[in-house]
Amino acid sequence: MPIDTVERFLVALDPHHREQVQRLSHEEQVKLADAWEAELRQDTDLDTLSELSPPAAESEAAARVAGKLLE
């Protein structure tokens, strides 16, 4: 069963940010998850990291998005 973008985003977040995002409305979570996917697509440094460790790239992008939009 495939997991949706919000679930993948939540998995990629550190526990502190995950708790913050889970308190948001579903619409806000979707916006953050969409921003996360855009970060993954647009950042060429993450492309290189993704080749070495996809989970690390996803976590780095999630941290960036959470840091920009939640703090």
Side-chain angles (χ1 to χ4, degrees), residues 13-20 22:
L13 286 168
D14 64 84
H16 173 72
H17 286 119
R18 185 177 308 120
E19 288 177 14
Q20 287 181 309
Q22 287 174 322

Side-chain angles (χ1 to χ4, degrees), residues 1-69:
M1 173 166 128
I3 59 174
D4 69 21
T5 304
V6 172
E7 289 177 41
R8 286 182 43 236
F9 175 60
L10 290 171
V11 168
L13 286 168
D14 64 84
H16 173 72
H17 286 119
R18 185 177 308 120
E19 288 177 14
Q20 287 181 309
V21 171
Q22 287 174 322
R23 287 188 220 122
L24 299 173
S25 70
H26 182 71
E27 291 78 22
E28 288 296 317
Q29 290 179 20
V30 169
K31 287 179 187 177
L32 288 172
D34 289 344
W36 171 68
E37 283 203 323
E39 183 82 17
L40 283 170
R41 281 191 307 271
Q42 295 169 1
D43 190 309
T44 56
D45 290 336
L46 288 174
D47 285 343
T48 302
L49 181 57
S50 182
E51 291 174 12
L52 300 172
S53 174
E58 289 184 351
S59 291
E60 175 65 25
R64 291 178 187 181
V65 168
K68 289 178 196 173
L69 300 173

